[in-house]
Amino acid sequence: MSDHTFKWQKPRGARLSQPSNRRLPGLDPGWLHEIHAGEDDQAAALAFVLASVRGETLLVARRSSRRPAPILCGEGLAMLGFAPEQLVLVDAGDELELLRAGLDAARCPGVGTVLLETRGRFAGYDLTASRRLALAAERTRARVIVLRIDTKPRPSAARTGWSVASAPSVPWEAGAPGWPAIEVELLRRRDGPAGGRWRLEWDAGRGAFREPSDETEIPGTVVALPLLRAGAADGRTIDPRAA
Amino acid sequence: MGLVAGMALADARARCPGLATLPHDPEADRRELGGLVAAMAHVTPMAAADPPDGIVLDITGCAHLLGGERELAGRAAELARYSLRHAFAGNAAAARALVRHGNGSEDIHALPVAALELEAAALIALRRAGLTRIGDLARRPMAGLAARFGEEAVVRLREILGETRAPIAPHVIPAPVRAEARFAEPIARTDDVLDVIEDLLGRLERDMAARAIGGRRFVATLCRSDGARRRLAVETGQPVRDPPTVMRLMRERIETLADPLDPGFGFDAITLAVPRAEPLAARQIALDRSEAAGESVAALIDRLGVRLGMERVRRIVPRDRHLPEKAQALVPAAGGKDNPSSRRTPGPLEVFTHALAERSRRTTAGVRRDDGGDILPRPLYLLDPPQPVSVVAGVPDGPPQRFRWRGQLHEVRLAEGPERIAAEWWRRRGGHLPGEAGPTRDYYRIEDSAGRRYWLFRSGLFEERPDPRWYLHGLFP
């Protein structure tokens, strides 16, 4: 097993799943978004959010006393292209404090993204509370995202509602797990038809999640651009016409 | 014993084997000297430091209070608690020359020319010209001296002779920033109290603006008419003097008090003090107000910190440690990105932060490292402490085939590893001895049949312990 060294590299010619024919709407700033995930898919949901936000971010969560809560890993964030020093973690004592802190953050100009991590039913988050958050987001052009873990969707003032889960990755050589892969479903959308499922894969070249497309699938015809750059950095040059 | 300043350490130790030595710390010297200057306030209000090791006291009109110049010098020596030399002269430069180059007499003209503290070349030139005493120079015309030995020589000479003014810059103790309001009739309503505090803040703002400082800590003391005192303290991450900002924090503080503000028969005095202040220059507002963004985030952090507690609003900072769970720490976010706790930690941290940024840049830029060893995957969530899991592994040294976590069985589909992370043996007593270092960890990145990725490790190699345990340490997206 000792020859299995880590290689954070991309497989070539891997066959990926069929692309969806619809464009993926993003988590636009100035709106309230809701993301639903199961208890085990928390990492996938957070990765989906953090991969698309930049700037000063506040993560308001409620520390549960029952089991040791997982803490965010700065290096893991950095790998998603998110600078850990831009993240402020706020521990709220109860639901009301969480909502108040989230609302204050959403009303503060200069905050790029406010993330509210909620768990379970969360009775305080009703239509009124979500409408307040949406209005605050509209005024400050902040992105307010409510991460709802382990609960059923309820009516709210959110612009979009998503469901995020982990997806099996495309393995690398020697049976290693591949790039982070997630499956997102658009549950609801205020300005258009809802529905649609996407299987997204982390694209290190662009620093974003994207749908795996067909263009890299035909082996031997096209040399992908990042590899060209890597070759140049190594001192070798690859002539695309020679390939 | 023949020890002199400037001697090599080996020579000094050879002469005096029991010599206790300390590394030179100019910063500590400077601080100590500052403390001594402050202590000299007992002798005279006009005291100035003369770095590296002197103090100049202007004792005009002070000596008679202590019974004469000799008694004053004795009192100063008592306050300093060091063995010291002193001299009296009509001006600071002459006193300084007497104390550093004199031999006890108060005759300035008898001082050697070294008292001018010129460069070595000029001193040699003076000696070659047969001028060894200050008195020799004082008798000669200044123009000729300036032409031959430089203007500096003349300036110093005139200072010592008292022909030009060489004023000292006395150490001034800054007046504390505080304001007070007393009432003829006690006030009882919380709103009135807040109004008074706002008024006091307005006064302090003018005071602080004049001194170009801002407060980091504001303490309001409410004096009740029956003698009880109530203190309200707020702290900010950045120096501020803007009344609305501080008022917002004060309101938060009153709201979050465990027991409400009890006025009793009313408050008859309110004082507001700023015990901690830092420099804060007046700032120009940009036309598009773009720089307001960073400030408002800092204000938000302060506000949340006052409401929830400073230790519950935090940032992630990297630390220079080897084990993944110790390689980062959560520090209070107040104080901004250049947090004092992260500023204190020296070199390696910055190197690490840089490495982190470099790593993220490289992974996002998609540049592949051929050695593959530099960019190691790290999970998004860390479980601290690591959660024990029961594991079925195929071969003893290999990745697990299935594991059970929180009562749920996970079938392993893909696995990668091991990434071996050694224990921090250098932090353990006797850790460098074989078998004493603590368990080595073998990390595996694992994907289960449901498509979720985990970070598992085996604590201990098979050589190290007979039955190593497995732990779940992280969750990948």
Side-chain angles (χ1 to χ4, degrees):
Chain A
M1 285 309 292
S2 56
D3 57 341
H4 286 190
T5 52
F6 281 109
K7 287 220 172 77
W8 195 248
Q9 68 182 49
K10 198 169 181 174
R12 266 178 288 172
R15 206 154 284 280
L16 307 171
S17 72
Q18 73 293 342
S20 162
N21 50 7
R22 286 187 50 196
R23 199 184 68 81
L24 182 74
L27 301 171
D28 299 328
W31 302 103
L32 174 71
H33 305 276
E34 252 181 41
I35 292 179
H36 291 266
E39 179 75 51
D40 297 331
D41 292 320
Q42 196 179 337
L46 197 75
F48 174 61
V49 172
L50 290 183
S52 61
V53 305
R54 296 288 177 267
E56 201 70 30
T57 302
L58 261 92
L59 174 59
V60 190
R62 202 179 138 206
R63 181 124 303 204
S64 73
S65 50
R66 279 182 297 121
R67 58 166 72 130
I71 49 173
L72 279 170
C73 174
E75 286 187 79
L77 291 170
M79 287 196 163
L80 288 173
F82 184 88
E85 64 267 17
Q86 290 195 320
L87 187 68
V88 178
L89 304 170
V90 182
D91 286 341
D94 54 31
E95 290 182 0
L96 204 66
E97 272 188 1
L98 192 151
L99 273 179
R100 266 190 76 190
L103 199 57
D104 271 9
R107 282 177 181 160
C108 174
V111 175
T113 307
V114 183
L115 254 164
L116 284 94
E117 187 183 312
T118 70
R119 206 169 285 276
R121 192 165 162 270
F122 198 60
Y125 179 72
D126 51 10
L127 267 174
T128 320
S130 64
R131 181 78 187 133
R132 277 200 193 115
L133 285 171
L135 284 175
E138 215 169 302
R139 199 160 60 231
T140 57
R141 303 301 299 162
R143 203 186 262 114
V144 182
I145 296 167
V146 183
L147 214 59
R148 310 213 59 198
I149 291 160
D150 222 6
T151 184
K152 275 191 213 134
R154 276 211 309 269
S156 77
R159 174 94 164 172
T160 55
W162 301 81
S163 162
V164 181
S166 298
S169 65
V170 177
W172 294 343
E173 48 204 46
W179 292 106
I182 56 175
E183 195 163 289
V184 300
E185 189 182 352
L186 185 58
L187 299 176
R188 49 173 275 115
R189 186 177 172 187
R190 292 192 85 178
D191 60 342
R197 256 172 193 283
W198 291 266
R199 188 191 166 283
L200 303 178
E201 196 180 54
W202 179 250
D203 182 354
R206 295 184 198 174
F209 278 103
R210 67 180 187 98
E211 287 176 77
S213 58
D214 281 326
E215 60 192 67
T216 54
E217 288 181 20
I218 310 153
T221 51
V222 183
V223 178
L225 203 58
L227 290 177
L228 256 179
R229 284 197 207 128
D234 291 343
R236 290 180 279 119
T237 50
I238 302 169
D239 189 352
R241 283 161 302 185
Chain B
M1 290 201 218
L3 297 182
V4 291
M7 194 177 241
L9 180 61
D11 292 348
R13 280 206 174 130
R15 289 191 186 209
C16 180
L19 188 68
T21 54
L22 288 171
H24 179 42
D25 186 355
E27 181 63 20
D29 286 353
R30 203 184 53 74
R31 251 178 296 149
E32 177 71 16
L33 190 65
L36 289 180
V37 170
M40 288 305 148
H42 290 272
V43 177
T44 167
M46 302 276 281
D50 178 22
D53 53 0
I55 297 175
V56 184
L57 304 178
D58 185 347
I59 56 164
T60 312
C62 298
H64 72 280
L65 296 171
L66 294 160
E69 288 182 350
R70 196 185 297 273
E71 286 73 16
L72 186 143
R75 177 83 182 117
E78 239 172 72
L79 287 168
R81 291 183 320 241
Y82 280 94
S83 62
L84 48 83
R85 279 201 304 272
H86 71 269
F88 295 100
N91 64 71
R96 184 190 143 90
L98 280 171
V99 104
R100 291 188 190 272
H101 303 278
N103 52 3
S105 79
E106 288 195 14
D107 184 10
I108 297 166
H109 293 267
L111 285 172
V113 287
L116 294 176
E117 294 185 359
L118 299 174
E119 283 168 23
L123 281 179
I124 289 168
L126 280 168
R127 288 210 190 93
R128 283 200 183 142
L131 304 166
T132 53
R133 306 268 153 203
I134 297 284
D136 302 338
L137 291 172
R139 274 197 298 278
R140 285 177 166 74
M142 296 283 176
L145 291 179
R148 271 188 75 172
F149 308 110
E151 197 191 344
E152 188 83 341
V154 174
V155 171
R156 293 275 167 78
L157 183 63
R158 280 173 169 252
E159 278 177 8
I160 288 176
L161 295 174
E163 290 174 13
T164 53
R165 287 172 55 80
I168 61 169
H171 167 74
V172 183
I173 301 159
V177 186
R178 66 199 299 275
E180 190 178 34
R182 291 176 180 277
F183 317 116
E185 286 290 321
I187 56 168
R189 286 174 57 225
T190 308
D191 287 347
D192 293 344
V193 170
L194 283 169
D195 280 349
V196 172
I197 292 178
E198 189 162 8
D199 185 42
L200 293 177
L201 271 173
R203 267 194 254 166
L204 288 189
E205 188 203 8
R206 286 191 290 281
D207 185 11
M208 289 195 281
R211 299 197 212 173
I213 55 173
R216 287 285 309 272
R217 187 178 157 83
F218 295 80
V219 182
T221 312
L222 313 178
C223 306
R224 229 160 65 176
S225 46
D226 60 357
R229 279 163 180 248
R230 190 69 196 258
R231 289 159 75 88
L232 298 170
V234 293
E235 291 196 24
T236 62
Q238 310 282 328
V240 291
R241 55 172 177 248
D242 180 34
T245 315
V246 185
M247 277 320 288
R248 223 172 291 140
L249 295 178
M250 279 285 177
R251 273 181 232 277
E252 290 281 355
R253 170 60 71 225
I254 289 178
E255 271 175 39
T256 52
L257 283 178
D259 46 339
L261 213 54
D262 176 19
F265 295 108
F267 302 106
D268 56 8
I270 295 176
T271 56
L272 184 67
V274 183
R276 241 177 98 198
E278 282 178 8
L280 175 67
R283 202 169 306 171
Q284 179 143 13
I285 300 166
L287 197 59
D288 56 351
R289 293 178 174 268
S290 55
E291 78 355 325
E295 274 168 48
S296 57
V297 173
L300 172 74
I301 288 169
D302 285 340
R303 213 155 66 231
L304 293 176
V306 168
R307 191 189 306 156
L308 306 168
M310 284 294 172
E311 71 291 341
R312 289 169 68 180
V313 183
R314 295 177 293 183
R315 277 185 201 275
I316 302 173
V317 293
R319 284 199 301 174
D320 188 22
R321 294 288 293 269
H322 190 60
L323 291 178
E325 73 268 27
K326 292 183 176 147
Q328 66 173 33
L330 295 175
V331 300
K337 286 170 190 171
D338 50 355
N339 204 297
S341 58
S342 63
R343 208 187 301 145
R344 262 201 311 274
T345 323
L349 174 84
E350 282 144 38
V351 174
F352 183 69
T353 322
H354 179 73
L356 200 67
E358 184 73 358
R359 172 185 284 179
S360 80
R361 196 182 58 73
R362 270 204 308 263
T363 38
T364 49
V367 177
R368 179 168 61 87
R369 297 272 302 187
D370 270 353
D371 55 359
D374 206 14
I375 305 165
L376 297 170
R378 287 287 177 268
L380 191 56
Y381 277 112
L382 275 180
L383 301 166
D384 190 25
Q387 307 279 300
V389 289
S390 54
V391 154
V392 178
V395 282
D397 251 350
Q401 285 184 333
R402 60 182 73 90
F403 65 95
R404 187 181 287 277
W405 179 47
R406 286 184 190 160
Q408 206 179 338
L409 196 66
H410 299 266
E411 250 348 291
V412 174
R413 190 171 75 99
L414 304 165
E416 182 190 44
E419 178 193 352
R420 186 159 291 178
I421 297 182
E424 292 185 313
W425 54 264
W426 53 94
R427 288 184 174 269
R428 269 170 96 114
R429 183 175 285 274
H432 59 287
L433 302 171
E436 294 289 319
T440 307
R441 298 175 180 181
D442 271 353
Y443 278 90
Y444 291 90
R445 204 159 64 89
I446 275 169
E447 181 172 320
D448 71 359
S449 50
R452 296 187 184 105
R453 285 159 288 279
Y454 300 93
W455 211 33
L456 266 76
F457 72 87
R458 191 183 57 234
S459 178
L461 307 177
F462 277 89
E463 307 82 277
E464 286 175 356
R465 52 172 63 184
D467 185 23
R469 301 206 54 184
W470 284 84
Y471 294 90
L472 179 67
H473 199 181
L475 309 170
F476 282 97

